């Protein structure tokens, strides 16, 4: 196994494209666990933390570009980013412990392609785009189109994510992410749910996005859930309809962390609670 | 296969070492540099016994490759006491009997020190969340939390 530290995106792409067994290393909080367990045996590890453009959070066209090597702790310390997209930052802040957050990245959480990745539903409802660099240049892809199965991504040969872009926060909008875990910290989501809403001048919900995590092989961006909110004020009837839609949309498995029935039920409960927070934020109340 | 040469600063000393690609920072600290204060509890990021500070941030040294440390500034438990003078946190851990077997202690001290440097006045809840990645099999945590809170109060009083 070789260890490479490219200092430019082009160098990283060239290294990746040259070797099908190459692996990108961001924070290593997934990769090192898998390496040590002998689950992966890359021929070359490409550490992206020396590529300066990938280590910064910057404002761009009213939104935020978060480099693929930025650890979640840094996002949490960024007041302006947190003010615009509190749900995304809170979701990243749920990843592991303080120590894990010192290293874990959004892009790593996404590319690891765990169904339970906490930041993914939050990024999806924010309308986040992943910028991908590869041998054929650069493209921007909606975050929900990156995971293609458990542990699988739609990235092609020689491609890597260089940054995540969070679009400008719409007027009167708010986002939130909640997960259920049996412990209070340090556990893998049994269900996760992100909600983002925007309100019109009358205080009615004019746009909504709802995403569910850990209840299917990949994140679910649910139009039927969003439809229960759009045009309403987020009243109890709308929230009950949202919960029912989320329960119906969830396609979980039975495992030691939760049964199908439990997970479907919790998906509804979390959707409702996350929607309440997102609506309160959109009104400037939270 | 050729080994990787790494130059880094550990506890204010410029240090260099040779490592294999698959060696972790924890492996190098313990097995090559004789800095055995950092412990390996789980090797998977769950227990925090291997906690060190890299460029000001807490990390699990079991989940960092030794090769990644090139040019970085690392602080370990060995750098905490000033010679024979214990760090106030170490002193308070003794006073509060915040350790039994002691395996978790180096990681917890390093993590608590980093917290107090960032936030000299943490709430109990903040201390508990900050240390959630440091498992202790023995103490039940309460004495640890009290020792950290007491150190913070004392340090504020002295300042
Ligand atoms: C103790 C512990 C607790 C955890 N708790 C949580 C939790 O609560 N919630 C949660 O969601 N996750 C959790 N995780 C998993 C992990 O911390 C996150 O998924 C993290 O965001 C991964 O980011 P990373 O930068 O460390 O990724 P890495 O380990 O560096 O990479 C992960 C994978 O993605 C690939 N990759 C990384 N960056 C890129 C890129 N830019 N382009 C292409 N491919 C890339 C790597 O090759 C690798 O396959 C936990 C892990 C540990 C060890
Ligand atoms: S040994 Fe590193 S976290 Fe347990
Ligand atoms: S004192 Fe034994 S594990 Fe904490």
């Amino acid at each position: 196994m070789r260890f490479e530290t490219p200092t430019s995106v082009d160098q990283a792409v060239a290294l990746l494209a040259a070797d099908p067994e190459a692996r990108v290393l961001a924070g290593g909080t997934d990769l090192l666990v898998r390496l040590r367990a002998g689950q992966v045996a890359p021929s070359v590890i490409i550490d992206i933390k020396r590529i300066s453009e990938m280590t910064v959070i910057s404002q761009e066209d009213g939104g935020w570009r978060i480099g693929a090597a930025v650890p979640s702790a840094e996002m949490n310390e960024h007041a302006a980013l947190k003010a615009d997209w509190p749900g995304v930052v809170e979701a990243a802040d749920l990843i592991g412990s303080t120590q894990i957050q010192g290293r874990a990245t959004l892009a790593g959480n996404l590319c690891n392609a765990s169904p339970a990745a906490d930041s993914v539903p939050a990024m999806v409802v924010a309308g986040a785009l992943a910028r991908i660099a590869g041998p054929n240049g650069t493209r921007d892809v909606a975050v929900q189109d990156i995971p293609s199965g458990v542990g699988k991504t739609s990235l092609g040969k020689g491609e890597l994510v260089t940054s995540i872009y969070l679009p400008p926060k719409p007027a009167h909008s708010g986002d939130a992410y909640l997960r259920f875990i049996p412990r209070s910290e340090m556990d893998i989501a049994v269900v996760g749910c992100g909600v983002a809403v925007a309100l019109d001048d009358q205080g009615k919900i004019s746009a909504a996005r709802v995403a569910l995590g850990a209840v299917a092989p990949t994140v679910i961006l649910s139009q039927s859930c969003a439809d229960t909110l759009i045009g309403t004020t987020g009243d109890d009837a709308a929230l009950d309809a949202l919960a029912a839609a989320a329960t119906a949309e969830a396609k979980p498995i039975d495992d030691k962390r939760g049964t199908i029935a439990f997970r479907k039920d919790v998906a509804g409960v979390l959707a409702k609670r996350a929607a309440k927070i997102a609506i309160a934020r959109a009104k400037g109340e939270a | 296969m050729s080994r990787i040469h790494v130059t880094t600063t550990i506890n204010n000393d410029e240090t260099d070492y040779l490592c294999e690609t698959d060696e972790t920072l924890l492996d190098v600290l313990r097995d090559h540099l004789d800095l055995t204060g950092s412990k390996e509890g789980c090797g998977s990021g769950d227990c925090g016994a291997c906690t060190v500070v890299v460029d000001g941030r807490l990390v699990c040294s079991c989940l960092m490759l030794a090769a990644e440390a090139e040019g970085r500034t690392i602080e370990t438990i060995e750098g905490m006491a000033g010679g024979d003078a214990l760090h106030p946190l170490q002193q308070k851990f003794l006073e509060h009997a915040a350790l039994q077997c002691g395996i978790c202690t180096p990681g917890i001290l390093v993590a608590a020190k980093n917290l107090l440097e960032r936030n000299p006045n943490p709430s109990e809840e903040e201390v508990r969340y900050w240390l959630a990645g440091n498992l202790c099999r023995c103490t039940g945590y309460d004495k640890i939390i009290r020792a950290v809170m007491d150190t913070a109060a004392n340090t504020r009083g002295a300042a």
Side-chain angles (χ1 to χ4, degrees):
Chain A
M1 189 165 78
R2 284 182 302 131
F3 180 73
E4 297 283 354
T5 51
T7 52
S8 73
V9 172
D10 286 350
Q11 284 171 14
V13 168
L15 284 163
L16 256 179
D19 193 336
E21 303 298 319
R23 280 276 183 155
V24 172
L25 169 69
T29 60
D30 281 313
L31 188 59
L32 268 276
V33 174
R34 290 166 59 78
L35 268 179
R36 297 188 54 148
Q39 292 167 354
V40 287
S43 51
V44 45
I45 287 192
I46 303 168
D47 183 0
I48 58 174
K49 292 188 291 297
R50 312 272 169 178
I51 304 173
S52 51
E53 64 175 271
M54 288 171 62
T55 62
V56 290
I57 301 175
S58 52
Q59 203 149 28
E60 185 179 307
D61 299 332
W64 294 99
R65 187 165 293 288
I66 302 165
V70 171
S72 74
E74 212 165 299
M75 293 172 58
N76 203 34
E77 289 162 10
H78 197 297
L81 172 67
K82 213 171 167 173
D84 276 0
W85 294 108
V88 176
V89 175
E90 282 166 7
D93 191 43
L94 288 173
I95 298 175
S97 57
T98 316
Q99 289 85 335
I100 298 299
Q101 283 157 25
R103 302 253 296 163
T105 64
L106 280 185
N109 199 218
L110 177 62
C111 294
N112 191 57
S114 159
D118 280 307
S119 72
V120 173
M123 287 195 277
V124 167
V125 297
L129 299 173
R131 176 153 294 173
I132 297 171
N136 301 321
T138 301
R139 60 196 178 102
D140 289 328
V141 176
V143 157
Q144 63 268 25
D145 295 332
I146 300 285
S148 56
V150 178
K152 295 198 180 76
T153 70
S154 58
L155 297 180
K157 189 170 184 281
E159 287 189 327
L160 79 163
V161 174
T162 58
S163 63
I164 301 291
Y165 181 69
L166 299 177
K169 177 184 143 68
H172 309 296
S173 68
D175 73 323
Y177 172 80
L178 293 175
R179 69 171 180 185
F180 174 79
I181 55 173
R183 303 172 64 196
S184 57
E185 270 279 87
M186 296 285 288
D187 210 341
I188 299 165
V190 176
V191 181
C193 180
V195 176
V197 296
L199 308 179
D200 65 17
D201 294 340
Q202 278 76 50
K204 280 203 173 143
I205 297 170
S206 53
R209 284 163 75 86
V210 178
L212 297 168
V215 291
T218 58
V219 63
I220 297 174
L221 173 61
S222 167
Q223 190 59 46
S224 67
C225 287
D227 288 342
T228 62
L229 292 175
I230 294 169
T232 76
T233 55
D235 53 294
D236 287 347
L239 291 174
D240 287 342
L242 169 64
T247 294
E249 280 280 50
K251 307 276 182 303
I253 53 167
D254 265 323
D255 71 6
K256 62 181 177 190
R257 294 179 306 119
T259 61
I260 290 174
F262 177 74
R263 284 186 150 130
K264 285 174 84 71
D265 192 51
V266 171
V269 173
L270 290 185
K272 201 167 163 172
R273 290 185 190 165
K276 279 188 188 167
I277 300 171
I279 292 165
R281 283 179 172 157
K283 290 178 177 163
E285 291 167 359
Chain B
M1 199 183 63
S2 69
R3 299 209 284 169
I4 301 168
H5 180 243
V6 174
T7 305
T8 178
T9 303
I10 303 181
N11 301 328
N12 292 321
D13 288 332
E14 194 174 296
T15 308
D16 57 346
Y17 54 79
L18 290 172
C19 64
E20 304 289 347
T21 317
D22 63 358
E23 278 182 301
T24 64
L25 178 60
L26 181 62
D27 294 333
V28 165
L29 291 173
R30 291 183 56 83
D31 301 341
H32 299 345
L33 301 175
D34 259 349
L35 295 171
T36 54
S38 306
K39 306 300 181 198
E40 177 156 345
C42 64
S44 56
D46 293 287
C47 77
C50 65
T51 301
V52 300
V53 175
V54 177
D55 287 349
R57 278 199 196 287
L58 288 183
V59 307
C60 295
S61 59
C62 72
L63 292 189
M64 174 171 164
L65 293 174
E68 292 180 68
E70 174 65 38
R72 307 288 188 208
T73 299
I74 295 165
E75 297 159 56
T76 71
I77 185 65
E78 285 83 358
M80 194 153 170
D84 286 339
L86 293 181
H87 184 278
L89 274 165
Q90 293 173 310
Q91 191 61 48
K92 286 292 174 200
F93 267 56
L94 290 176
E95 284 170 26
H96 285 265
L99 64 152
Q100 290 178 30
C101 80
I103 284 281
C104 68
T105 313
I108 293 188
L109 285 169
V110 168
K113 177 169 177 269
N114 190 261
L115 169 65
L116 297 186
E117 283 162 4
R118 289 164 186 272
N119 179 0
N121 189 14
S123 65
E124 179 179 333
E125 191 180 4
E126 285 170 331
V127 176
R128 286 187 184 271
Y129 271 104
W130 187 267
L131 296 179
N134 291 90
L135 302 186
C136 175
R137 179 68 182 77
C138 306
T139 63
Y141 300 102
D142 221 54
K143 292 175 173 177
I144 293 172
I145 304 301
R146 273 187 255 159
V148 175
M149 297 295 288
D150 193 16
T151 311
N154 241 20
T155 312
R156 287 196 308 278

